[in-house]
Structures are given as C-alpha cells and as structure tokens.
Amino acid sequence: MFGCSGADGSRGDEGVSGEQGATGEQGATGEQGATGEQGASGQSCWDLNENGAKDLEAEDTNQDGVVNVLDCVVGASTPTSAPREHFGSYAVGSPQYLEVYSYATGTIDPLQDGCDLWAWRLESNGDYSLVAKNAYVIGTQKFPKIFTDTQNTTIYGFDLCTAACSANAECVGTYYSYVNDAQGQSTAITCEYLGYFPAEAEASFQYAPVRVKAGARDSQMEAFLGGRLDQGFASVCP
C-alpha cells in the first residue's frame, strides 16, 4: 500500500509488505479408485485367422495333426507333404531316438541313427569327435528351454528346434546347447541347423560339436540322454 502525501504535496514512501505465511500441511491421500476391467486375452501365435479356434487344415503348419505352439516357428519354410522322420538324443522312450552301443564291447558304430548323419571320428591323438557327416551350420535360432503355453501344455525347446529343422527342406540335423541369462540361469537353448555340403569336402570341415577321450564315449552319450533339456542333437532324414 502507499503512504499519505506530505504537506508540500510530495508523495510518501511505500509501506513494507508483510512476510508470506508458512505452507500448510499436505492433505491426506484420497481413496484408490476401482480396478478397471480386465483386457481381452492376447492372440495365440498359431491363430492365423484370429478366430480363436484351432483350424487344423489352415493352422497346422508343421502338419503333425495338432495345432499348438509348434506351429508358431518363425521363419520356417513350408513343410513337405509328409513329416520327415527324425532321430534325437532327447527322445527317450519313443520309437525314434539316438542311443549308444556299449563302447566296452568294442562295437564299431556306437550310434543308432536311421538318417545316417552322426558318427564318431577317430582323431590322430586317440580322441573321438562326434561329427555330422558332410554337414555344416546353415543357421541358428534361440528357443526357451521349457515353458507352458496358453493351453497349459508344456513345451520343450528341443522339440521346437527339431520341428523347425523338419520344416526346412535344407536342414538335415540339429545340435542345441544351453544359454545362460544375466543371472547365470540356463533358460534358453541355441539351436544350430545343419545342411549338407559336397561329399568330397575335406573331413576337417565336418561339423563336430563334441570331442571326448576314447573311453568316455558311453558316458558322453549318457550325459546327452540324461541332460536333454540343456544339450543334445538330432538328425532329420531327407
């Protein structure tokens, strides 16, 4: 506010403003609002026409007679008219599997492999390498090691790996091994897809994922069969 005028008509000095009052306390938090409605369920990856139904003729992309997450393999080529036969180190208890004959008995060929892809190669120092004959890596892909889909079905990464190979006409086999996450847990596998190279190529170029001492071939195969979630291999017949 302004002061009064002096006797000579001059204007007085301005008055001093008062100090600002203290800030009041914050009010109490209001009650939480009601929970909103749940959103709609996401679309299943196999549901190509997005109708929520499993349409066998249109959505069984790997042609195994069922529609499930195995039909969700990204980047797989169109499957052949009939599923290709395969053998895997993980397929314990099924008709198609890779198994070791006892090395102790002196059996020459330690693998039962109907696709004739895998074999033991004797190295110059007496070790043995498990090799994919006349094959090399044509691609890689990662899969969860194990998970449950929206239908509460347990899915294994090695099945996805083999399904992807079976759907690719150039793939003749796979080798998969575990991958650790940032916390050191093995939650995924890396799947390597193998294709044939010319038979006249040098043996040193054969894909060889495993090398063991001569007397350890049986135990190595037992490890594959026992730890099939983390590591294993398969062959897929042309």
Side-chain angles (χ1 to χ4, degrees):
M1 73 185 281
F2 295 102
C4 297
S5 299
D8 58 358
S10 62
R11 191 173 185 179
D13 295 332
E14 293 184 3
V16 178
S17 299
E19 295 183 359
Q20 181 173 336
T23 302
E25 295 182 0
Q26 181 173 335
T29 303
E31 295 183 1
Q32 182 173 336
T35 303
E37 295 182 4
Q38 183 173 342
S41 300
Q43 202 71 38
S44 298
C45 58
W46 45 259
D47 195 2
L48 300 180
N49 58 13
E50 301 184 0
N51 67 350
K54 295 185 176 182
D55 303 310
L56 190 65
E57 183 175 349
E59 294 169 345
D60 181 21
T61 57
N62 67 353
Q63 298 184 356
D64 63 355
V66 294
V67 177
N68 56 24
V69 72
L70 296 180
D71 299 303
C72 304
V73 177
V74 178
S77 60
T78 302
T80 54
S81 57
R84 292 192 290 165
E85 187 176 29
H86 73 272
F87 297 78
S89 63
Y90 56 81
V92 178
S94 72
Q96 299 175 335
Y97 62 98
L98 291 168
E99 185 182 69
V100 63
Y101 292 124
S102 175
Y103 175 78
T105 64
T107 305
I108 296 176
D109 184 3
L111 293 175
Q112 295 176 355
D113 178 8
C115 301
D116 194 30
L117 173 66
W118 298 98
W120 290 106
R121 182 178 69 199
L122 178 62
E123 305 294 349
S124 59
N125 65 350
D127 292 347
Y128 277 89
S129 293
L130 180 64
V131 300
K133 297 184 291 185
N134 301 321
Y136 68 111
V137 177
I138 59 174
T140 62
Q141 192 170 4
K142 287 184 180 180
F143 296 106
K145 189 167 69 173
I146 181 173
F147 66 98
T148 302
D149 68 5
T150 56
Q151 307 300 315
N152 205 32
T153 301
T154 300
I155 305 297
Y156 297 97
F158 52 68
D159 281 332
L160 296 176
C161 183
T162 302
C165 181
S166 298
N168 184 341
E170 295 181 2
C171 186
V172 296
T174 67
Y175 175 78
Y176 64 92
S177 56
Y178 68 88
V179 180
N180 284 339
D181 60 18
Q183 285 74 43
Q185 301 297 315
S186 57
T187 58
I189 60 171
T190 293
C191 180
E192 296 183 293
Y193 304 121
L194 309 178
Y196 282 132
F197 60 58
E200 63 270 15
E202 296 182 21
S204 59
F205 289 99
Q206 289 177 324
Y207 178 74
V210 177
R211 186 165 179 162
V212 296
K213 297 298 182 183
R217 294 197 313 196
D218 288 356
S219 59
Q220 181 66 63
M221 290 298 295
E222 290 173 2
F224 277 128
L225 295 173
R228 59 191 184 276
L229 283 178
D230 288 317
Q231 187 180 33
F233 56 96
S235 61
V236 178
C237 299

